[in-house]
Amino acid sequence: MTESAGTSPEPRHTGDDDAVGPVRHGSGAGSSPTGAGTARRRRRWLRYTAIGAGVAVLAAGGTGWAVYEKLQGNITEDTDAAAELARYEKERPTSLVRGAQNILLVGSDSRAGAGNGKYGRDSGTQRSDTTILLHISADHKRAIAVSLPRDLMVDIPSCRTHKGSRTRPMFAMFNYAFEQGGSACTIRTVEKLTGIRIGHHMVVDFSGFKDMVDAVDGVEVCLKEPMNDRAAHLKLPAGKQTLSGEQALGFVRARKSLGNGSDTDRMDRQQQFLGALVNKVQSNQVLLNPTKLYPVLDAATSSLTTDPGLATLRGLYNLVRGMRDIPTERVQFLTVPRRSYIYNANRDQLVQPAAEQLFTQLRTDAPVVVAKKTPKESTARNSSDGSGEDSSDTDDMAYEHDGFDDGKPGDPSVSSGSSASPAPTFRGNTAAQDACR
């Protein structure tokens, strides 16, 4: 007798996974006794999963591309400076060490832009409130940031102004170069002063600095005494505290309410703050964490003007990648050796031969050593005359071993009888130093 469709020759077992018996499935169940239905369900499931995954990938890719385009669009490319520097290419110094980088960092005091107006009236010009020459060694094991005083008396070449005219060569304060001729004039002035080829430059305004500090959730500093500076819009108690972006800006710009009121003292404070910022970024693994890195990149690029070589995320990434593995004790900060200008105590001049020795070290990618007190300074302060003379107005440089095994002058492995000269020691600090100690 022929079975009718949908019937079973034996009773169906339920509730017993080990029951054995020929079980047939009706055609309405969407499967067959051969397992083809199960295979079809599996294929449909895989197909839907693949489609869903594809949509997710496209969405993520679209978001990633949108983020990339946003950050890329934040950066302002300094094409005018590039054209001006190309015009004077023949007079610019030559890079001596392949792979070493020299980058000029300029903090602009421009009041233009959102949020900057409260720091003063926008006169239509901008000056270099802070200028730092950053040197990264060819082996990417050392970085040194040298502050150039804005009141330093220097030779400024003829430069193209913002209005298109040209200035005459002059002997004037360093920050006059940026005010008159922007970053190109500043770079040419620095190259003339140091003999160091500047490969890249960055200009950051007030807003960019504040946003970067906020992006890393503030930076810790220590104050030996309370601070109340109306000009800097800052009132702080003494002791250890974490500064927000707004507070940090006031802290690094304050002059008369902290220390001895000099610009040199302010630069020391700026260096200590930047060291603490570098330490914060490295200790929090910001550079290796996309979630933490994006706000920093967004803040940095939003107020950044750079040369064409750095005006892309790839260019900035290569720069950051070259610095991320440098130990904080080898990220060094110092001010170029200076003293009060002989004809005007409110201006600065270089101390020689200390300044030229520093420039030579940077040009040749030789190690530079910094210490809170140089050996000469310590000797002077401990001398019987008790004068306590500040080495910033004398030599600001001494010679001793750096304690780093670079196989170069300054390496403690170099014997005292070696013909190699020990590396000079300049007054400064490193990113590893705790400002609270």
Side-chain angles (χ1 to χ4, degrees):
M1 182 175 173
T2 304
E3 281 185 2
S4 61
T7 63
S8 300
E10 298 179 21
R12 181 184 301 271
H13 296 276
T14 60
D16 186 358
D17 292 339
D18 295 327
V20 178
V23 179
R24 293 183 179 177
H25 301 271
S27 59
S31 59
S32 69
T34 62
T38 302
R40 281 197 299 272
R41 287 197 300 273
R42 184 180 296 112
R43 285 197 296 271
R44 280 199 299 271
W45 180 83
L46 290 172
R47 184 166 62 249
Y48 295 148
T49 301
I51 293 173
V55 171
V57 169
L58 289 174
T63 301
W65 183 253
V67 169
Y68 181 91
E69 285 294 294
K70 180 183 185 303
L71 294 176
Q72 182 89 1
N74 286 346
I75 308 171
T76 300
E77 183 177 350
D78 198 348
T79 54
D80 290 342
E84 180 74 354
L85 292 174
R87 178 187 179 117
Y88 291 95
E89 178 59 36
K90 292 184 179 180
E91 72 176 33
R92 300 183 64 193
T94 303
S95 297
L96 300 181
V97 180
R98 183 175 182 179
Q101 296 187 69
N102 295 296
I103 305 152
L104 198 66
L105 311 176
V106 180
S108 168
D109 70 351
S110 171
R111 269 62 172 179
N116 291 334
K118 62 183 176 181
Y119 301 108
R121 183 176 59 86
D122 179 16
S123 62
T125 62
Q126 55 182 346
R127 292 170 296 178
S128 50
D129 199 54
T130 301
T131 303
I132 294 175
L133 174 58
L134 175 64
H135 175 82
I136 303 174
S137 63
D139 59 9
H140 290 185
K141 293 182 179 179
R142 293 175 283 111
I144 183 163
V146 181
S147 295
L148 301 172
R150 63 181 187 177
D151 295 337
L152 185 67
M153 299 301 294
V154 297
D155 288 311
I156 300 176
S158 172
C159 295
R160 183 178 183 275
T161 69
H162 304 286
K163 296 180 180 180
S165 59
R166 291 202 169 268
T167 63
R168 293 181 179 180
M170 66 186 73
F171 184 70
M173 288 192 305
F174 174 65
N175 71 343
Y176 194 71
F178 192 76
E179 181 179 354
Q180 291 297 303
S183 51
C185 191
T186 302
I187 290 170
R188 292 178 58 217
T189 300
V190 172
E191 290 183 340
K192 184 178 181 66
L193 178 72
T194 66
I196 298 171
R197 171 83 176 210
I198 304 300
H200 298 291
H201 71 275
M202 297 182 183
V203 182
V204 182
D205 66 17
F206 290 160
S207 293
F209 176 82
K210 291 187 301 182
D211 291 345
M212 280 188 285
V213 173
D214 285 333
V216 297
D217 299 323
V219 174
E220 186 178 86
V221 299
C222 280
L223 289 178
K224 294 181 179 179
E225 56 188 32
M227 176 180 177
N228 188 1
D229 193 309
R230 292 184 179 180
H233 304 274
L234 189 63
K235 185 176 182 180
L236 295 171
K240 181 187 295 186
Q241 53 209 289
T242 299
L243 301 185
S244 66
E246 185 74 29
Q247 292 172 322
L249 180 62
F251 179 75
V252 299
R253 295 189 67 235
R255 181 168 179 172
K256 297 181 180 180
S257 59
L258 285 177
N260 59 17
S262 68
D263 195 41
T264 299
D265 191 72
R266 182 175 70 161
M267 284 186 292
D268 288 343
R269 190 166 61 254
Q270 291 172 348
Q271 293 163 13
Q272 291 169 3
F273 182 87
L274 290 176
L277 177 59
V278 170
N279 208 3
K280 177 71 177 286
V281 169
Q282 289 201 2
S283 64
N284 281 12
Q285 297 292 301
V286 171
L287 300 180
L288 301 177
N289 187 330
T291 303
K292 294 181 178 180
L293 180 59
Y294 174 75
V296 177
L297 287 176
D298 189 36
T301 56
S302 293
S303 300
L304 197 64
T305 300
T306 77
D307 61 278
L310 290 182
T312 64
L313 286 183
R314 179 180 293 276
L316 290 176
Y317 170 75
N318 289 335
L319 175 62
V320 171
R321 183 180 61 179
M323 288 194 65
R324 71 184 182 188
D325 294 328
I326 299 177
T328 53
E329 63 269 17
R330 289 198 177 193
V331 179
Q332 303 166 302
F333 299 87
L334 74 147
T335 299
V336 64
R338 43 70 55 204
R339 63 160 60 102
S340 295
Y341 182 46
I342 188 172
Y343 298 114
N344 186 340
N346 294 319
R347 303 290 180 262
D348 290 326
Q349 68 181 52
L350 292 180
V351 172
Q352 298 294 2
E356 182 53 38
Q357 176 66 57
L358 172 62
F359 300 151
T360 299
Q361 297 293 106
L362 298 179
R363 280 196 300 268
T364 58
D365 199 28
V368 174
V369 189
V370 300
K372 288 186 176 181
K373 293 182 181 179
T374 66
K376 285 187 177 181
E377 182 181 3
S378 297
T379 300
R381 295 194 177 192
N382 293 328
S383 62
S384 58
D385 63 8
S387 61
E389 184 180 20
D390 184 354
S391 69
S392 64
D393 277 347
T394 53
D395 196 352
D396 216 16
M397 179 189 75
Y399 291 88
E400 68 173 13
H401 294 309
D402 65 357
F404 294 142
D405 186 11
D406 287 319
K408 297 180 179 180
D411 182 349
S413 64
V414 179
S415 67
S416 58
S418 171
S419 60
S421 300
T425 297
F426 296 89
R427 189 163 60 87
N429 65 284
T430 73
Q433 292 175 356
D434 188 348
C436 297
R437 295 180 180 176

